Amino acid sequence: MVHVIKRYSNRKMYDSATSEYVTLEDIARLIRENEEIQVIDNETEDDITTITLGQIILEQERGKKELLPVPVLLRELIRKGESSIMEFVKRSVLAGMGAI
């Protein structure tokens, strides 16, 4: 089931699959539970899923003290382009597997 979430101009979000209002944390929980989501701007009907996922990441990173802050990593990914993103993902996966 795909959760189609409509975002209204007052910033409220409504999950049409469950017929209830949701928060960014609710959407993050759905993703962690492997649910598919799509976020649509109610007025323009534009797909704003990517923007919403970015907001979730930023909210989750607030207050965390990391070796490299997320803005620094994001800027570096933008500078180096798509190939850098793939290389970053590969390194992260390999590092994670090494930790296991």
Side-chain angles (χ1 to χ4, degrees):
M1 163 175 50
V2 175
H3 291 262
V4 176
I5 299 167
K6 293 184 178 185
R7 184 176 185 140
Y8 294 95
S9 60
N10 63 1
R11 304 182 92 192
K12 285 192 175 193
M13 294 179 285
Y14 185 79
D15 184 344
S16 59
T18 60
S19 300
E20 59 188 16
Y21 287 99
V22 293
T23 64
L24 290 175
E25 181 55 40
D26 294 330
I27 295 171
R29 180 183 43 76
L30 288 171
I31 293 168
R32 286 191 292 274
E33 293 171 355
N34 292 320
E35 296 286 339
E36 293 294 320
I37 66 144
Q38 182 180 26
V39 184
I40 306 293
D41 182 284
N42 190 55
E43 286 183 22
T44 64
E45 296 188 8
D46 290 340
D47 185 331
I48 57 170
T49 305
T50 303
I51 294 168
T52 305
L53 295 178
Q55 288 176 319
I56 291 170
I57 290 168
L58 291 174
E59 287 295 320
Q60 289 179 345
E61 293 301 315
R62 273 189 194 179
K64 287 185 178 180
K65 302 290 183 204
E66 300 292 332
L67 183 60
L68 288 173
V70 171
V72 172
L73 292 173
L74 294 175
R75 272 194 298 271
E76 193 62 27
L77 289 173
I78 290 168
R79 281 187 190 125
K80 293 195 176 179
E82 189 173 317
S83 63
S84 176
I85 294 171
M86 292 309 296
E87 186 60 34
F88 174 76
V89 169
K90 287 177 189 175
R91 281 195 315 251
S92 297
V93 169
L94 290 175
M97 291 178 75
I100 292 174

